[in-house]
Amino acid sequence: MTGTKRIALVTGANQGIGLQIATDLAASGLTVLLASRNLDRGKAAAQKIEGDVHPLQLDVTDEASIRAAAAHVDEQFGRLDILINNAAISRASGEEAETMQDYIQRSRATLIPVAEVRTIWETNVFGVLAVTQAFVPLLRKSEAASIVNVSSNLGSLTLLSSDSPYRAVFNPGYGASKTALNAITVAFAIDLEAEGIKVNAVTPGFTATALNNYEGTETVQQGAAEAVRVALLGSDGPTGTFTASTNQTQPW
Ligand code: NAP
């Protein structure tokens, strides 16, 4: 069992926005569990960060990996204060680059393979559900527990029903997975409200990362800012919110 230093776990933290969230939380003096599906990538990322950072293997689609990670955190730290569900994929295909234009075209509702939708939802929706369920027992041991789900404006049905630029990018894979993630956020917020565990969703904005072939227009520092702000709110912070930087309410 560690002392009073707050302990945060960030999934998918070896690159992109997750790495920046881990960097910023470590700079704020937290103990950071930098989770990655590939431990070597996580170790390499952790070495770049100043502060109390611990790499942790965690593939959000692998039950055994989730179980082992939760057991390890229990053994090493005895509790968790902040869980940031950041890991996500935008496509099923591996690591090869694909322009946003090609991606948008082939991922339209009439074209995207059902198998690809399942793969994306496995990470972005069921992965968050499984990881959150596995870590709730450790969050219950915290005096001020918080869960932050990194969602997207693309998941907002309200925005998509308006004259929004997001309409062109919405699809049953990534876009709809974030709508489902928003729904799951609300479900956890309702379930954990009586226990005082805060559950909120944030959207980073269009950030230059591997997820979008680095075509995003914001920096990872900008993309990480709202998740970090919400993560650092104390026990009197809100629950069941969906916000963009800085604290701008987003419609569900
Ligand atoms: P990214 O650079 O591609 O990072 C995604 C991270 O998730 C990587 O570390 C990746 O690991 C990890 N990941 C993927 N599948 C995983 C799995 N099964 N288990 C564990 N980790 C896994 O993308 P990003 O833009 O930083 O995305 C971070 C979050 O921001 C996501 O939730 C995304 O939906 C959200 N977001 C991004 C934008 C944007 O414009 N970039 C906009 C709105 C929302 P590997 O390195 O091993 O692939």
Side-chain angles (χ1 to χ4, degrees):
M1 190 77 179
T2 57
T4 52
K5 219 171 171 183
R6 293 171 83 191
I7 305 164
L9 187 158
V10 188
T11 67
N14 56 290
Q15 64 166 319
I17 293 166
L19 176 56
Q20 189 62 42
I21 294 170
T23 304
D24 292 351
L25 292 178
S28 293
L30 278 71
T31 294
V32 175
L33 312 183
L34 187 157
S36 62
R37 58 177 158 180
N38 177 305
L39 185 58
D40 287 339
R41 281 184 220 154
K43 283 181 178 168
Q47 278 174 359
K48 295 182 206 150
I49 303 181
E50 304 245 343
D52 190 20
V53 181
H54 305 254
L56 176 71
Q57 199 279 331
L58 176 52
D59 181 334
V60 305
T61 63
D62 179 345
E63 269 181 49
S65 166
I66 296 169
R67 246 197 328 271
H72 179 78
V73 175
D74 192 11
E75 202 180 287
Q76 294 292 310
F77 301 96
R79 70 168 204 279
L80 183 66
D81 299 306
I82 300 162
L83 171 64
I84 303 194
N85 288 307
N86 165 79
I89 54 175
S90 55
R91 68 203 79 203
S93 48
E95 319 215 335
E96 70 275 19
E98 180 184 38
T99 67
M100 280 298 285
Q101 201 181 2
D102 288 349
Y103 165 75
I104 290 166
Q105 176 55 28
R106 73 159 184 86
S107 303
R108 290 162 49 187
T110 47
L111 297 176
I112 190 169
V114 173
E116 179 165 16
V117 174
R118 280 192 214 281
T119 300
I120 294 167
W121 282 55
E122 200 59 56
T123 300
N124 300 6
V125 182
F126 302 117
V128 174
L129 181 58
V131 168
T132 306
Q133 287 184 347
F135 280 92
V136 159
L138 287 168
L139 289 162
R140 286 190 169 122
K141 296 182 184 170
S142 167
E143 285 176 11
S146 173
I147 298 166
V148 181
N149 291 336
V150 182
S151 184
S152 170
N153 272 337
L154 273 180
S156 167
L157 294 179
T158 307
L159 285 179
L160 291 159
S161 307
S162 68
D163 182 20
S164 157
Y166 298 111
R167 286 172 69 89
V169 192
F170 191 67
N171 64 51
Y174 180 78
S177 78
K178 293 298 183 177
T179 310
L181 175 61
N182 285 352
I184 281 177
T185 302
V186 174
F188 274 109
I190 292 168
D191 192 11
L192 296 172
E193 190 169 21
E195 298 178 65
I197 299 178
K198 315 296 181 192
V199 189
N200 295 289
V202 298
T203 174
F206 191 38
T207 308
T209 66
L211 196 85
N212 51 37
N213 193 36
Y214 299 93
E215 292 179 39
T217 50
E218 299 199 349
T219 65
V220 285
Q221 286 82 1
Q222 291 170 309
E226 185 62 5
V228 171
R229 188 191 70 81
V230 174
L232 292 176
L233 294 173
S235 54
D236 51 0
T239 193
T241 67
F242 180 26
T243 55
S245 188
T246 303
N247 200 15
Q248 292 171 51
T249 296
Q250 300 300 294
W252 293 109

